[in-house]
Amino acid sequence: MYNYFLPFIYLSPFFFHHPISASNLHKIKQLTSEFLPEPTSSDDPPPPTEYFEVTRPIELPKTKPYSYHVLHHDFGYTYGQPPVLASYTPPSDCPFHSFSKIVLEWNATCKGRQFDRIFGVWLGGAELLRSCTAEPRATGIVWSVHKDITRYHSLLLSPQTLAVYLGNLVDKTYTGVYHVDITIYFYPYVKSLSNDDGSKSKFGGSAFGGGVPADLVLPISRNLPLNDGLWFEIKNSTDEGLKEFKVPQNAYRAVLEVYVSFHERDEFWYTNPPDEYLIANNLSGVPGGGSFREVVVTLDGKVVGAVWPFTVIYTGGVNPLLWRPITGIGSFDLPSYDIEVTPLLGTLLDGKSHSVGFSVTNALNVWFIDANLHLWLDGKSSKTEGGLVHLVDKPLAVSLVSDFEGLNGCFWTGAKRSILSTGWVRSSFGNITTSFAQDFVYNNSMVMGKNGNEQIVNQLILFNDSVNANLPSPFVDETHRKFSLYLDTDELDQDDDTYLSVSNVTLGFDENKSRSSAFWIFEELSHKCAGWPGYYGCQREFGC
């Protein structure tokens, strides 16, 4: 079980006045990036600040890994430019060829003034990491991200193109250049209780045996060359990102891993008021569409899954000083979301092209979405076969209750959805029927007060899914997620024509996973809790 809980409080004075708190989050972010004070020169400047995200550490074997440096690059003016490319070749001098763990390390430094920047790392078109940069200081910052990429094992066994897109702008005001190194660590295989998956048995060595990486990872992303990231850009509720692909005819399991991030007018989608409120108050410059968003995933036009994403707040979000030096949950390693598509695999084994589509309900500009299709292949058969038993996509049910007068009011948004699919695949492992179920519940309460200068958002997302397969003893894989957010932003007028910006943020990420099969039982019972109050306040000419 992963459980992260982070509350923050921030107070900062400004010489400006901005009505409507939903819009303030965008404006305060820009103001604080522009007016954060630069320290005066010193003969003995302080060392760079190390930034970090509170997260569950990667369980590593007690062996020395092989280190493989893949990329060094200085990201200056890279916005609208092609991704930085590097040739990846499996290390020929690695002393071992079986790995218990493979870890990607991102190391970066920056100095000066700069916005937070979203970036992605792809190998052979498959995304390995979605992340956000830390916002630098004049004295410099350093940070590292460690990502377990063992599930991409098959990609790392053959030559590939590594692509990194980090769109950065550098000018007289925004001077920060991101100096980046990427290293991959290969840990030799060590037999242990945690990876003893019963592989000596027929089903233990299969995709349902536990911990067996896919034999093939297909990128569901845009193709190079590009002057942007490889992700699809979803700019409104009618946009759809589409990618065609072909599945090898001996596949017997398929899992779609989806990467999601939200930006610009939808960076703070959970604070967006309903359109009726904006129209009634003649507010044309405030992001709307209400507070509910859903990523819908289709296969050949049929809805096969959805993602109700965790509310990642980037290092410049709400107020950048909230995230120094501890950044928000998921900001350095945005979560990906798995959708089991094995029940529909029988419809993909015809050797023809098929398509995956992505759209976002109520989307404003812009969402970045792509995916990786993980496929397990039957080494004892050149062709498997299967069929879809049923696919049930219960319509999305959304309810909205509004009670407002002028700029003050209350809004409650609720939503529910369920998706269920069942299908069978016949391979050398037998005839296996797999079911995949998703259940979602969403609640968002929003209060606007003080003529729109105060906003309180309290949001909860329950996002549960399960995979069941009829092995000799049933295979069950369940994930229960609870994403919570509390956000209180306020503006307090001061006597000297300034105002005090007050932000109170609490993020909660709770994930419980359990897996069982005929050969093993695995349940994540570890409990991680990180929570502390932060109080920031000072008086300077342009805030702090």
Side-chain angles (χ1 to χ4, degrees):
M1 176 172 68
Y2 304 157
N3 187 286
Y4 305 96
F5 177 79
L6 292 97
F8 295 95
I9 302 172
Y10 178 78
L11 295 92
S12 168
F14 291 100
F15 277 105
F16 307 93
H17 183 73
H18 306 291
I20 312 305
S21 288
S23 180
N24 285 353
L25 294 178
H26 299 267
K27 296 177 180 178
I28 289 175
K29 174 179 177 177
Q30 182 174 0
L31 287 170
T32 49
S33 294
E34 292 178 353
F35 297 115
L36 287 175
E38 300 282 347
T40 56
S41 60
S42 171
D43 294 334
D44 188 19
T49 302
E50 182 177 0
Y51 284 57
F52 62 96
E53 176 191 337
V54 176
T55 187
R56 186 173 186 261
I58 300 171
E59 183 180 355
L60 298 174
K62 296 179 180 179
T63 54
K64 184 179 180 180
Y66 176 85
S67 174
Y68 186 31
H69 186 263
V70 181
L71 174 74
H72 171 82
H73 191 79
D74 302 323
F75 289 85
Y77 199 112
T78 53
Y79 181 78
Q81 302 296 315
V84 174
L85 305 180
S87 295
Y88 168 83
T89 302
S92 58
D93 56 346
C94 182
F96 35 86
H97 302 287
S98 297
F99 312 109
S100 59
K101 193 76 69 173
I102 307 173
V103 176
L104 181 147
E105 179 184 68
W106 167 285
N107 280 317
T109 65
C110 191
K111 187 175 183 179
R113 176 181 287 140
Q114 195 53 264
F115 281 112
D116 54 346
R117 307 294 186 185
I118 197 73
F119 67 87
V121 179
W122 294 264
L123 186 66
E127 186 159 9
L128 306 183
L129 173 67
R130 179 80 59 92
S131 184
C132 172
T133 65
E135 289 204 348
R137 311 180 71 170
T139 54
I141 62 167
V142 298
W143 84 94
S144 298
V145 182
H146 294 88
K147 174 76 176 283
D148 184 349
I149 59 170
T150 310
R151 71 182 306 185
Y152 310 106
H153 175 270
S154 62
L155 278 174
L156 295 158
L157 298 181
S158 60
Q160 308 282 355
T161 296
L162 182 86
V164 180
Y165 182 77
L166 192 166
N168 193 28
L169 293 172
V170 175
D171 56 26
K172 293 181 180 179
T173 302
Y174 301 103
T175 58
V177 175
Y178 291 103
H179 309 284
V180 174
D181 285 278
I182 296 178
T183 304
I184 299 177
Y185 294 93
F186 296 86
Y187 288 83
Y189 179 80
V190 176
K191 192 72 172 178
S192 67
L193 291 177
S194 62
N195 58 27
D196 187 0
D197 54 16
S199 57
K200 293 181 179 180
S201 62
K202 178 180 179 181
F203 288 95
S206 75
F208 300 99
V212 179
D215 299 297
L216 179 66
V217 180
L218 293 181
I220 309 298
S221 60
R222 296 193 298 169
N223 297 324
L224 294 170
L226 293 165
N227 290 326
D228 201 342
L230 279 67
W231 43 56
F232 296 97
E233 296 185 7
I234 307 300
K235 298 182 179 180
N236 54 58
S237 59
T238 61
D239 257 0
E240 185 177 20
L242 286 171
K243 180 64 179 283
E244 290 193 348
F245 65 96
K246 288 184 179 181
V247 169
Q249 291 184 282
N250 64 334
Y252 68 94
R253 189 182 184 192
V255 175
L256 188 69
E257 177 195 18
V258 183
Y259 280 87
V260 174
S261 60
F262 31 85
H263 311 279
E264 298 183 23
R265 291 179 63 80
D266 251 1
E267 179 175 348
F268 308 106
W269 52 268
Y270 39 87
T271 70
N272 289 12
D275 289 337
E276 62 180 290
Y277 173 83
L278 303 182
I279 294 172
N281 289 285
N282 196 27
L283 300 172
S284 59
V286 178
S291 62
F292 175 75
R293 299 292 185 273
E294 172 191 51
V295 178
V296 179
V297 181
T298 61
L299 181 60
D300 292 334
K302 299 177 181 178
V303 175
V304 295
V307 175
W308 291 17
F310 174 68
T311 51
V312 176
I313 298 179
Y314 309 122
T315 57
V318 180
N319 194 304
L321 292 183
L322 288 170
W323 319 116
R324 290 185 171 184
I326 303 173
T327 70
I329 298 171
S331 56
F332 280 172
D333 183 6
L334 274 72
S336 60
Y337 306 88
D338 285 355
I339 295 176
E340 185 81 29
V341 293
T342 306
L344 293 98
L345 188 55
T347 67
L348 308 177
L349 296 172
D350 54 7
K352 299 179 181 179
S353 293
H354 298 269
S355 64
V356 170
F358 308 104
S359 60
V360 181
T361 304
N362 300 328
L364 300 181
N365 189 43
V366 60
W367 289 63
F368 296 155
I369 304 174
D370 62 16
N372 304 318
L373 183 58
H374 298 254
L375 296 167
W376 286 261
L377 309 179
D378 187 351
K380 297 181 179 180
S381 174
S382 60
K383 185 174 176 59
T384 57
E385 60 178 339
L388 176 64
V389 177
H390 63 257
L391 174 61
V392 179
D393 170 28
K394 292 185 178 180
L396 172 67
V398 181
S399 56
L400 170 65
V401 178
S402 299
D403 181 13
F404 66 93
E405 182 175 352
L407 295 172
N408 299 323
C410 303
F411 311 93
W412 179 85
T413 306
K416 291 183 178 181
R417 181 195 270 278
S418 296
I419 301 171
L420 173 65
S421 57
T422 300
W424 59 273
V425 175
R426 183 179 293 112
S427 68
S428 65
F429 295 101
N431 193 328
I432 300 175
T433 298
T434 304
S435 295
F436 177 59
Q438 287 188 308
D439 292 290
F440 303 88
V441 177
Y442 169 92
N443 286 289
N444 178 291
S445 65
M446 184 184 305
V447 178
M448 306 291 287
K450 298 183 179 179
N451 289 322
N453 290 322
E454 181 182 22
Q455 183 182 42
I456 301 174
V457 175
N458 203 337
Q459 179 172 288
L460 179 65
I461 296 174
L462 302 179
F463 177 179
N464 303 321
D465 54 52
S466 64
V467 179
N468 291 267
N470 68 330
L471 303 180
S473 178
F475 168 87
V476 180
D477 186 341
E478 294 183 334
T479 303
H480 299 272
R481 306 175 185 88
K482 181 170 69 174
F483 302 153
S484 59
L485 165 76
Y486 177 81
L487 174 63
D488 185 349
T489 57
D490 196 1
E491 293 178 359
L492 307 178
D493 291 330
Q494 305 296 290
D495 294 334
D496 53 356
D497 293 329
T498 67
Y499 71 89
L500 191 67
S501 175
V502 182
S503 301
N504 185 347
V505 182
T506 302
L507 288 171
F509 184 103
D510 197 333
E511 185 176 74
N512 297 272
K513 291 185 176 182
S514 63
R515 301 182 185 92
S516 65
S517 76
F519 312 101
W520 50 271
I521 298 175
F522 173 73
E523 186 171 4
E524 293 185 348
L525 297 175
S526 60
H527 182 80
K528 290 285 291 183
C529 182
W532 57 94
Y535 182 92
Y536 304 83
C538 61
Q539 295 289 332
R540 297 191 182 184
E541 183 178 1
F542 291 108
C544 64

